[in-house]
Amino acid sequence: MTGTEKLNQIQAIFQEMERALIAYSGGVDSTLVAKIAYDVLGDQAIAVTAVSPSLLPEDLEEARIQAAAIGIQHQEIETQEMENPNYTSNPVNRCYFCKSELHDTLKPLAQQWGYSYIVDGVNADDLKDYRPGIQAAKERGVRSPLAEVGLTKLEVRELSKSLGLITWDKPAQPCLSSRFPYTEEITIAKLQRVGKAEIYLRKLGWSHLRVRSEADTARIELPPEQIQEFVLKTNLPQLVQAFQEFGFIYVTLDLEGYRSGKLNQVLSPELLIMS
């Protein structure tokens, strides 16, 4: 099935819904969903962004800008996952508690505002990875049109580009809590220092990156092909000083380079299969 055929199927899904609330982070997936929903439903679609310490303010601002460019109604709500020890203790299923909080917050709002459906940006490739948050969404009746029609991440980007969305090549940007190894407690202070470190590197021109945090150590991950250029071009003493001002003591560079889901490599194969 072609990308155009899958787009037609997604449009048909929204036509059947008549009204839909989009769980909208501003990432490439949820932006595509918001765009299609608005094109089909107009003012009967609304995008809602959850605001919490795990979302960079810069990413929130980008979400606002893109929602305005699409034309879709956009609301922001605050979620309280940081008050749940099941989340802050950072178990392997941390995302389950995050998405539970999100959709337990969205559901009554959707009912109050008259939206029968809540829709997210899960795509077909997400179903192949360890994503406990997907289960939380399913339990609450959330629809995932991209996954339902088998749209892959590559197809999401291709379709986004064809629809004129500037997010089509936006790097994946999961929440800041994903930067910590499982079982290390997550605090607002730790989230803030990771966020400051990543923004610092973005401003230097490095867009595809992660700053992993373990205790007092920051580990910078970049695409492998960029590592040598990074070392040669970056004022390393100045970078270390900045990171230490953010609250880290040690600053390291991961020589393997960035790899999505790297922290999941500690999980057992059985757990990954169960997901």
Side-chain angles (χ1 to χ4, degrees), residues 26-242:
V28 59
D29 299 311
S30 65
T31 297
L32 177 61
V33 172
K35 167 66 174 172
I36 299 172
Y38 178 72
D39 286 349
V40 173
L41 301 176
D43 290 341
Q44 300 305 305
I46 186 171
V48 181
T49 301
V51 181
S52 76
S54 65
L55 176 67
L56 278 171
E58 289 79 2
D59 289 337
L60 175 58
E61 184 58 27
E62 288 182 10
R64 291 169 177 161
I65 293 170
Q66 187 57 31
I70 292 171
I72 193 170
Q73 298 181 74
H74 184 213
Q75 294 286 338
E76 298 168 18
I77 59 168
E78 291 188 2
T79 52
Q80 309 298 327
E81 61 269 21
M82 291 299 295
E83 296 182 6
N84 184 355
N86 288 323
Y87 176 85
T88 56
S89 61
N90 199 16
V92 296
N93 63 339
R94 178 197 69 246
C95 291
Y96 177 88
F97 300 104
C98 176
K99 295 302 183 184
S100 296
E101 166 68 14
L102 170 64
H103 293 298
D104 286 344
T105 303
L106 287 179
K107 190 169 184 178
L109 287 177
Q111 293 173 341
Q112 177 184 340
W113 296 341
Y115 293 92
S116 300
Y117 294 93
I118 297 175
V119 176
D120 66 17
V122 171
N123 65 60
D125 287 338
D126 293 332
L127 303 180
K128 303 173 186 177
D129 196 5
Y130 177 64
R131 302 288 180 93
I134 293 176
Q135 181 60 35
K138 285 182 178 179
E139 291 173 358
R140 289 157 177 81
V142 177
R143 295 282 298 272
S144 304
L146 304 183
E148 288 178 26
V149 304
L151 204 70
T152 66
K153 189 70 172 186
L154 177 60
E155 290 173 323
V156 166
R157 293 192 182 280
E158 292 174 343
L159 193 52
S160 297
K161 187 176 183 180
S162 70
L163 293 175
L165 296 172
I166 61 174
T167 52
W168 74 270
D169 63 344
K170 182 178 180 178
Q173 190 67 22
C175 82
L176 293 176
S177 295
S178 66
R179 311 303 195 266
F180 301 88
Y182 294 120
T183 73
E184 178 174 330
E185 183 182 9
I186 297 171
T187 66
I188 292 177
K190 288 180 179 180
L191 292 170
Q192 289 175 339
R193 71 180 183 182
V194 166
K196 290 176 181 177
E198 292 197 354
I199 291 300
Y200 179 90
L201 292 172
R202 284 192 197 180
K203 288 181 177 179
L204 290 181
W206 310 98
S207 58
H208 292 71
L209 64 99
R210 293 286 185 274
V211 174
R212 306 290 186 186
S213 174
E214 186 167 2
D216 292 318
T217 297
R219 188 177 75 247
I220 300 169
E221 294 181 9
L222 295 162
E225 65 275 11
Q226 293 182 3
I227 292 175
Q228 185 172 7
E229 180 185 5
F230 176 82
V231 172
L232 292 175
K233 289 187 174 181
T234 304
N235 185 325
L236 296 178
Q238 189 175 74
L239 181 148
V240 170
Q241 180 180 352

Side-chain angles (χ1 to χ4, degrees), residues 16-34:
E16 292 176 1
M17 289 182 178
E18 297 184 348
R19 302 193 83 212
L21 184 154
I22 316 304
Y24 170 68
S25 68
V28 59
D29 299 311
S30 65
T31 297
L32 177 61
V33 172

